[in-house]
Amino acid sequence: MNLLRTFAGVSLTAICAVAATGCGGDDVPSDAVARVGDTVITKQQFDHWYASAAKSQAQQGGPAVPPDPPNYTKCVAALKQAQPKPAKGTPAPKDSDLKKQCKQSYDQLKQQVMQFLIQSQWVQQEAEERDVKVSGKEVQTLFEDQKKQAFPKEKDYQKFLRTSGATEQDILFRIKLDALQNKLTAKIQKDQAKVTDEDVEEYYEKNKKRFAQPEQRDLNVVLTKTKAKAEQAKQELDGGAKFPAVAKQYSIDQASKANGGKLPDVPKGQQEKALDDAVFAAEQGEIEGPVKTQFGWYVFEVTDETPGSQQSLKDAEETIRGLLKSEREQKSLQDFIEDFREDFKDETKCREGFVVAECSNAPEEKTDTNAAPGAPQGAPQGAPQQAPPPQGAPQQAPPPQQPAP
């Protein structure tokens, strides 16, 4: 985890595309914005996180006061005051335009905070169901370690609390949820990533070539543009001339030419077929060629041979076991994420005006499947922090932050 980000209150990770406000919410109490299973997310919780997000957004150049729907009177007034004096002949922004700006800011913050609060509940409830726990002592230790790194001086930490809109309780809970995610993902992967000896042997037999080292040969080479030049170079070599001198005079391959014509460690099956066939059929110490290739004409001599080898199952076992374990961990996590989101979304109902993609009563989602997990572009600093899912957090499931006190 980026420790400074933990305290800096960066915006939420938006897992899904923005969902438009929908209808419904009949099962949500009047003093709440959503219900996840039997747990209610109150309007007070929403207001707490909204105020924190808006305060941080203001520090990043957003409205100086939290957008105040439905009329946005205070927000419009603050934007007016912050506007630079327009150039001569340029009209000042209209109130209607400023109001539209305030509404856009509110809608963005509202979506991020709702996603955070809902996703937080999803992870907490999943952890409880799987008996995954984090002790208060663990949370406090993590907090102290991260605080020391982010704020070497206590006065800097206190200043952050005064200016960010976050409380220490918020930070502690965010750390707790990050730790829950670590343990939750570890448990999911551990349960599904077992690799047996039979699995290792089967993989080895199906992929033997991956554990084979092909035969290699060291060469002296001269590469020319024409067959006539190649024959002339070969004639000199047959007459007793040394490869470094002949390569220097005739070769157009700068790399081997600079190395006295040497081309070491040429593996079987890696060169153009005509050259590969000739090289691996040649006797060591014999001058061969010319051989035509797309690069020109080769004259060569095999100077050394290294036989091919096959890594044994015993030697490859550790590598294979690690590979299979990693593959299964990723698959088990991805399978879990798909079921996790679907199951919890079915249990999530949101009040009209607070509906986001995580709500069962949301309109059909239009998701960008190519978008990488991360904070939405333009997301204001200051929404409840959603650090990248640590190892142990469901990777596209909610990396949640602190719910309101």
Side-chain angles (χ1 to χ4, degrees):
M1 179 193 305
N2 184 315
L3 300 178
L4 184 58
R5 283 169 61 91
T6 299
F7 290 92
V10 245
S11 58
L12 287 163
T13 298
I15 294 169
C16 301
V18 177
T21 300
C23 301
D26 294 340
D27 298 330
V28 181
S30 59
D31 63 344
V33 293
R35 178 193 291 276
V36 181
D38 295 330
T39 301
V40 168
I41 299 173
T42 68
K43 182 62 162 57
Q44 182 182 10
Q45 288 177 299
F46 173 85
D47 290 343
H48 171 84
W49 284 107
Y50 175 77
S52 176
K55 189 169 184 178
S56 187
Q57 184 193 55
Q59 295 175 348
Q60 302 298 319
V65 298
D68 46 330
N71 296 322
Y72 303 99
T73 306
K74 294 179 181 179
C75 180
V76 170
L79 287 179
K80 267 187 175 181
Q81 187 174 359
Q83 290 291 324
K85 186 176 180 180
K88 188 176 181 179
T90 303
K94 297 179 181 178
D95 283 7
S96 58
D97 292 333
L98 297 178
K99 183 177 180 180
K100 184 182 296 185
Q101 183 178 339
C102 289
K103 184 180 185 306
Q104 289 174 342
S105 178
Y106 172 73
D107 288 343
Q108 184 183 53
L109 289 174
K110 178 182 67 176
Q111 179 210 327
Q112 292 173 348
V113 173
M114 284 300 298
Q115 287 182 324
F116 151 63
L117 291 170
I118 291 168
Q119 293 169 8
S120 296
Q121 282 299 322
W122 287 3
V123 165
Q124 290 178 86
Q125 292 184 26
E126 181 69 23
E128 182 177 1
E129 183 176 335
R130 291 177 180 264
D131 197 30
V132 173
K133 299 176 182 178
V134 176
S135 70
K137 183 177 180 180
E138 289 178 271
V139 172
Q140 192 63 36
T141 299
L142 289 168
F143 168 72
E144 293 296 339
D145 289 344
Q146 294 175 25
K147 179 183 173 184
K148 285 178 183 177
Q149 293 184 51
F151 301 102
K153 296 181 180 179
E154 177 65 22
K155 66 178 182 180
D156 294 333
Y157 173 62
Q158 294 301 325
K159 181 181 178 181
F160 163 75
L161 291 180
R162 291 194 302 272
T163 58
S164 67
T167 67
E168 188 165 294
Q169 183 180 359
D170 295 339
I171 297 168
L172 288 170
F173 197 66
R174 180 163 63 225
I175 290 172
K176 178 180 179 179
L177 290 176
D178 283 341
L180 277 176
Q181 290 177 99
N182 287 336
K183 290 188 176 184
L184 182 57
T185 299
K187 183 177 179 67
I188 293 164
Q189 293 179 324
K190 182 180 179 181
D191 291 345
Q192 300 296 324
K194 295 177 181 177
V195 178
T196 67
D197 292 343
E198 289 75 16
D199 294 332
V200 173
E201 184 175 358
E202 181 181 0
Y203 184 90
Y204 176 80
E205 292 299 329
K206 289 182 177 179
N207 298 275
K208 269 191 173 181
K209 288 184 179 180
R210 296 182 61 178
F211 302 96
Q213 180 67 40
E215 179 184 354
Q216 294 183 343
R217 294 196 167 189
D218 293 341
L219 309 177
N220 285 328
V221 300
V222 175
L223 174 64
T224 64
K225 286 185 178 180
T226 66
K227 183 177 182 181
K229 285 286 186 182
E231 289 175 339
Q232 189 174 350
K234 186 175 185 298
Q235 185 177 4
E236 292 191 22
L237 290 167
D238 287 338
K242 301 299 181 182
F243 256 94
V246 176
K248 183 177 181 180
Q249 181 178 355
Y250 291 99
S251 187
I252 61 173
D253 178 23
Q254 297 303 318
S256 61
K257 180 177 180 178
N259 198 28
K262 293 180 180 179
L263 186 62
D265 303 325
V266 176
K268 187 173 184 178
Q270 301 284 319
Q271 305 299 314
E272 195 171 330
K273 188 175 187 308
L275 181 61
D276 190 76
D277 289 346
V279 166
F280 287 92
E283 295 291 333
Q284 187 171 334
E286 296 293 327
I287 307 299
E288 302 287 349
V291 178
K292 185 180 181 181
T293 71
Q294 60 178 319
F295 305 107
W297 295 82
Y298 275 96
V299 175
F300 68 89
E301 173 191 19
V302 177
T303 60
D304 197 13
E305 303 175 21
T306 303
S309 61
Q310 176 69 46
Q311 190 176 16
S312 68
L313 172 60
K314 182 179 179 180
D315 291 338
E317 180 179 0
E318 185 176 349
T319 299
I320 296 172
R321 195 175 295 277
L323 176 65
L324 291 177
K325 184 174 183 293
S326 178
E327 289 178 350
R328 292 180 183 187
E329 285 177 347
Q330 291 303 314
K331 185 178 186 306
S332 65
L333 188 59
Q334 188 59 44
D335 290 345
F336 165 76
I337 289 167
E338 294 174 3
D339 293 338
F340 173 88
R341 177 172 174 79
E342 182 178 346
D343 293 345
F344 271 104
K345 181 174 179 177
D346 288 344
E347 295 293 319
T348 303
K349 193 79 175 280
C350 299
R351 175 160 297 285
E352 185 176 358
F354 294 90
V355 177
V356 291
E358 285 74 8
C359 309
S360 61
N361 54 319
E364 185 176 351
E365 297 174 21
K366 295 180 180 180
T367 305
D368 180 2
T369 56
N370 295 319
Q377 292 299 312
Q381 300 287 328
Q385 150 123 6
Q386 189 111 342
Q391 293 303 316
Q395 297 279 322
Q396 295 177 20
Q401 313 308 337
Q402 323 94 293

